[in-house]
Amino acid sequence: MFYNEEFETLPREALRALQIKRLQQVLQRVYHTVGHYKKSLDAARVKPDDIKSLTDLHKLPFITRQDLQNNYPFGLFAVPMSSVVRLHASSGTSGRSTVFGYTKRDVETWSELMARSLVAAGLTKNDIIHNAFGYGLFTGGLGLHFGAEKIGASVIPMSGGNSKRQIMILQDFGPTAICCTPSYALHLAEQGAALGVDMKALKLRVGIFGAEPWNKAMCDEIEKIYGITALDIFGLSEVMGPGIAMECLEGRNGMHIFEDHFLVETINPQTGEVLPEGAEGELVFTTLTKEAFPLVRYRSGDISRLITEPCRCGRSHIKMERVLKRSDDMLIIRGINVFPAQIEAILTGIEGLEPRYQLIVDKSGALDSLELRVEVSEKTFSESGSVKALQKIEKRIVKDMKDYLGVAARVKLVEPNTLQQSQGTAAKVIDNRRI
Ligand code: ADP
Ligand code: ZN
């Protein structure tokens, strides 16, 4: 089943011709409307007209998350704000967050790609979709929501959290599909078990999971506990949101990238060299149709491999393997992207702390847990005297982590110089999760 059969099954030659035509249009547009691209293309001595084939794309400079942050909040928008109908943003303090804009047509395109994803999972207007992706600035919830409405399904805008209520609704409303992070699906199953609910007895038939890495073992476990087919969906807000790539029911070996809207390359993350198709590397995306926030050669930081063998489903678009690794230090905690630098920025804003800290990421049941150990300065340590003063700092860190990054952390203040190990500086991040 297809949502847009013509484009999803477009023969590769025609697809390539469409991509190059759209690429040339995007380049003209960004060169003439976004200062950053004019500067970076001029510095690389390339003009939009020089790009005549898809391999010419390699001549263009990359754009990175740092560039996005440097242009915070709206510096990379290619249309006036009057044409922007939606804003989303990543977590982070001012200047360390990234902001994404959408025109009416962008929302329309995104909804279509989400609709394609849902149809690839076998869903129709007769389905009830329980959407437990977070709503709000995060793209997961609303992205999926619009796609579900587009195919005419009945969508339950659950958002995350409140597990008991989620289980009640799963039982009472009888949704046939569930969408959330894979770890939240496991968490719900744990909560269900505690309440004596048999998840297999629910009406669920399929689950669409993403926003964080999950391996085949986790997929098998979810399928077994719920008695459903568990499919992988991939996306990143910079490029659009969820619905950049989706696993089809028939293939079960990777996610189709909607290539009529995105160009994908894999590069060596160390050297930036473009790798042959099929080699493992960092995914680089170019948006072909986005109006408000087009991106040319965006380094995603996600490591994967492209699969070019034709798929049984009939879609002509290439696939990408599960993303299980990153090329940078980004952590995904309960589906939320967190960079150590963002935590540093929060700690720097609080008086009485040393910049030395340690992050310990672990699993508590199915969900991620985060502990943050921070050294207090000598001065605070000797002068504050009271436990109360230290507790106040602890509370402030917990609150800022929640307010700016959206993550709950246990905070422990430690004495000065205790995090520095004799051999050198302590590892900042200790990730004990197994994936
Ligand atoms: P999303 O709504 O997809 O989480 P974000 O912009 O918050 O959007 O996060 C994007 C990042 O999340 C990706 O760059 C990738 O690292 C991770 N991610 C998203 N989907 C998946 C997936 N299916 N498997 C592994 N990682 C994923
Ligand atoms: Zn397929």
Side-chain angles (χ1 to χ4, degrees):
M1 274 200 304
F2 305 101
Y3 180 78
N4 184 339
E5 184 163 359
E6 182 192 349
F7 283 93
E8 291 179 75
T9 62
L10 206 60
R12 291 210 61 82
E13 201 132 305
L15 186 59
R16 240 168 264 133
L18 179 70
Q19 286 183 318
I20 184 76
K21 189 178 112 210
R22 289 183 165 174
L23 175 65
Q24 284 164 342
Q25 288 166 352
V26 168
L27 291 175
Q28 290 294 350
R29 212 169 55 238
V30 295
Y31 187 76
H32 293 107
T33 54
V34 185
H36 169 86
Y37 287 105
K38 166 120 189 31
K39 256 190 260 151
S40 73
L41 263 69
D42 285 349
R45 296 175 193 280
V46 227
K47 290 266 179 285
D49 285 337
D50 299 338
I51 309 304
K52 299 201 163 57
S53 71
L54 291 178
T55 39
D56 285 342
L57 183 66
H58 306 168
K59 296 179 189 161
L60 298 171
F62 295 117
I63 186 164
T64 63
R65 183 181 293 261
Q66 189 59 54
D67 295 318
L68 267 51
Q69 290 179 354
N70 294 347
N71 286 282
Y72 176 88
F74 307 138
L76 290 171
F77 285 16
V79 297
M81 203 42 116
S82 54
S83 303
V84 172
V85 300
R86 175 102 66 86
L87 294 165
H88 280 285
S90 71
S91 59
T93 49
S94 179
R96 291 209 173 263
S97 155
T98 36
V99 185
F100 325 107
Y102 302 78
T103 63
K104 247 195 178 118
R105 206 188 81 186
D106 291 335
V107 171
E108 191 50 42
T109 307
W110 185 13
S111 309
E112 165 166 345
L113 299 189
M114 277 309 313
R116 288 188 194 178
S117 304
L118 299 175
V119 172
L123 299 175
T124 69
K125 64 179 177 23
N126 299 322
D127 283 288
I128 303 179
I129 304 178
H130 182 106
N131 184 15
F133 277 121
Y135 281 67
L137 284 176
F138 177 68
T139 47
L142 279 172
L144 199 121
H145 186 103
F146 274 60
E149 285 193 350
K150 205 167 181 70
I151 65 165
S154 321
V155 53
I156 310 171
M158 262 326 290
S159 203
N162 216 342
S163 308
K164 276 197 187 136
R165 182 122 200 269
Q166 302 243 5
I167 287 167
M168 180 191 92
I169 284 175
L170 285 171
Q171 290 181 295
D172 296 351
F173 295 12
T176 45
I178 182 167
C179 309
C180 57
T181 60
S183 53
Y184 194 66
L186 287 174
H187 174 71
L188 275 182
E190 278 177 5
Q191 301 295 304
L195 295 167
V197 178
D198 175 10
M199 302 312 263
K200 276 199 281 294
L202 299 171
K203 291 221 178 85
L204 294 174
R205 179 176 92 241
V206 65
I208 299 176
F209 306 108
E212 67 184 9
W214 57 311
N215 56 22
K216 177 75 174 52
M218 224 165 141
C219 176
D220 291 345
E221 192 182 348
I222 294 175
E223 293 198 328
K224 199 163 130 238
I225 299 176
Y226 281 88
I228 59 171
T229 304
L231 300 172
D232 201 359
I233 189 164
F234 170 86
L236 56 159
S237 310
E238 297 91 317
V239 176
M240 185 183 78
I244 290 166
M246 174 72 196
E247 183 177 354
C248 64
L249 269 179
E250 296 87 348
R252 303 308 310 269
N253 70 332
M255 299 168 269
H256 289 283
I257 302 171
F258 296 117
E259 287 184 283
D260 49 337
H261 293 278
F262 309 106
L263 255 182
V264 64
E265 306 165 79
T266 27
I267 60 161
N268 175 327
Q270 270 82 46
T271 62
E273 174 207 357
V274 177
L275 300 172
E277 259 175 3
E280 184 182 271
E282 179 180 342
L283 299 178
V284 170
F285 289 97
T286 297
T287 63
L288 294 174
T289 50
K290 267 174 73 191
E291 294 181 327
F293 194 71
L295 283 178
V296 176
R297 302 199 88 200
Y298 180 66
R299 290 190 58 162
S300 69
D302 290 315
I303 305 281
S304 179
R305 199 193 299 269
L306 300 177
I307 304 168
T308 48
E309 287 85 55
C311 183
R312 265 188 293 188
C313 70
R315 285 178 182 77
S316 56
H317 299 186
I318 56 168
K319 296 196 266 194
M320 55 182 269
E321 275 183 0
R322 272 179 195 288
V323 172
L324 296 173
K325 280 189 274 180
R326 297 270 316 167
S327 64
D328 57 14
D329 59 358
M330 183 177 100
L331 295 161
I332 303 187
I333 296 168
R334 299 196 182 188
I336 298 172
N337 306 345
V338 179
F339 288 91
Q342 292 177 314
I343 294 176
E344 248 155 59
I346 285 180
L347 298 179
T348 316
I350 300 174
E351 223 178 301
L353 298 174
E354 283 291 329
R356 273 190 297 275
Y357 67 94
Q358 211 171 48
L359 272 176
I360 299 146
V361 196
D362 217 321
K363 285 269 182 198
S364 138
L367 297 179
D368 301 328
S369 68
L370 181 65
E371 183 177 309
L372 175 57
R373 295 183 187 156
V374 195
E375 285 184 10
V376 289
S377 63
E378 290 283 3
K379 191 159 168 276
T380 317
F381 192 67
S382 53
E383 284 177 10
S384 69
S386 73
V387 176
K388 256 211 179 112
L390 293 175
Q391 275 175 346
K392 209 172 135 204
I393 300 181
E394 254 173 28
K395 278 207 183 112
R396 165 85 192 275
I397 304 174
V398 171
K399 187 161 170 10
D400 281 5
M401 290 282 289
K402 189 80 206 158
D403 288 350
Y404 290 114
L405 303 184
V407 295
R410 270 191 324 274
V411 174
K412 274 193 190 156
L413 294 181
V414 299
E415 289 176 30
N417 298 316
T418 42
L419 292 179
Q420 246 179 350
Q421 288 162 351
S422 48
Q423 316 85 303
T425 45
K428 276 190 189 139
V429 180
I430 301 168
D431 196 339
N432 294 324
R433 297 173 296 183
R434 307 172 309 269
I435 275 231

